[in-house]
Amino acid sequence: MRKRAFLPVAAGALPLLLMLGLPPASADAGAASPATGTCVGRIHYTFSPPLRATPRPTTTSWSGDYSCSSLPVLKTRTWHGTFGGSVTSVTGCLQASPGQVIAPSITETDHWSAPDSGHRTGESTLTGTVSTLPREDGTRVYEWTGTVTGGTWFVGHHFNGNGVYTSLTDGKLCLAGGEIEHNDGTAVITFLPL
């Protein structure tokens, strides 16, 4: 008799859990988020229309991958990530001024997986501001700061990121009237403790 009463209750509980956005206990909800972490990776940009010396509305799309480790080092966890996003802003291939804000509010989605696992274990939705700083060698350093506003990992954490893009060769091409369709660079991001 107890088995018969349990089955209707269990059958009614599953739709309730799903309506509330809660996974059933047996579902694979993925690994828990580390408390903090730093990720180092590569990034690829495409520009549509291509960047030129005169700023114009341009859609910048990016994608890349990270290798990450948690802090502190005493209980290190490692994981990998992929990321991507796009934003439309008025920009060109020359720096207009130090600290130029390229995008006041952009969103990026990062997907995380453990090195010993082929499936995704978490994701993060990052919302923040991107600004750039020129360097004497013709490259730009970008700064990417904000908050993790969604997903299953690092929600509520602030993050600080930086990277390098636009090589000296591209800067010379731009000065000569050329256009830049794509570029590659490096990316680092740190998720700060709550």
Side-chain angles (χ1 to χ4, degrees):
M1 188 70 168
R2 286 184 184 167
K3 286 184 182 177
R4 288 184 187 166
F6 177 74
L7 288 175
V9 171
L14 181 60
L16 178 62
L17 287 173
L18 294 175
M19 283 181 2
L20 294 173
L22 301 173
S26 62
D28 180 14
S33 169
T36 61
T38 295
C39 301
V40 178
R42 299 168 297 169
I43 189 167
H44 177 75
Y45 301 93
T46 57
F47 308 104
S48 179
L51 294 178
R52 62 181 182 190
T54 305
R56 62 181 169 179
T58 303
T59 299
T60 302
S61 300
W62 63 92
S63 61
D65 57 74
Y66 285 132
S67 291
C68 309
S69 63
S70 60
L71 302 172
V73 181
L74 298 175
K75 271 188 125 175
T76 302
R77 284 177 62 188
T78 61
W79 67 96
H80 299 287
T82 59
F83 59 92
S86 66
V87 66
T88 300
S89 61
V90 176
T91 189
C93 54
L94 299 177
Q95 186 70 29
S97 62
Q100 174 188 7
V101 173
I102 292 188
S105 180
I106 64 172
T107 299
E108 172 183 288
T109 301
D110 297 0
H111 300 283
W112 310 113
S113 62
D116 58 352
S117 169
H119 67 280
R120 188 180 346 176
T121 58
E123 67 179 46
S124 303
T125 303
L126 286 65
T127 304
T129 299
V130 174
S131 58
T132 64
L133 300 171
R135 295 199 320 195
E136 289 182 15
D137 65 0
T139 62
R140 288 191 218 179
V141 178
Y142 76 80
E143 294 181 336
W144 162 229
T145 59
T147 304
V148 180
T149 56
T152 57
W153 276 28
F154 301 112
V155 176
H157 288 247
H158 293 290
F159 64 85
N160 291 327
N162 61 67
V164 178
Y165 64 101
T166 307
S167 69
L168 181 59
T169 304
D170 286 342
K172 289 180 177 177
L173 173 67
C174 187
L175 285 171
E179 295 185 333
I180 301 169
E181 294 179 358
H182 58 85
N183 206 324
D184 294 300
T186 58
V188 178
I189 192 165
T190 300
F191 296 95
L192 304 172
L194 284 174

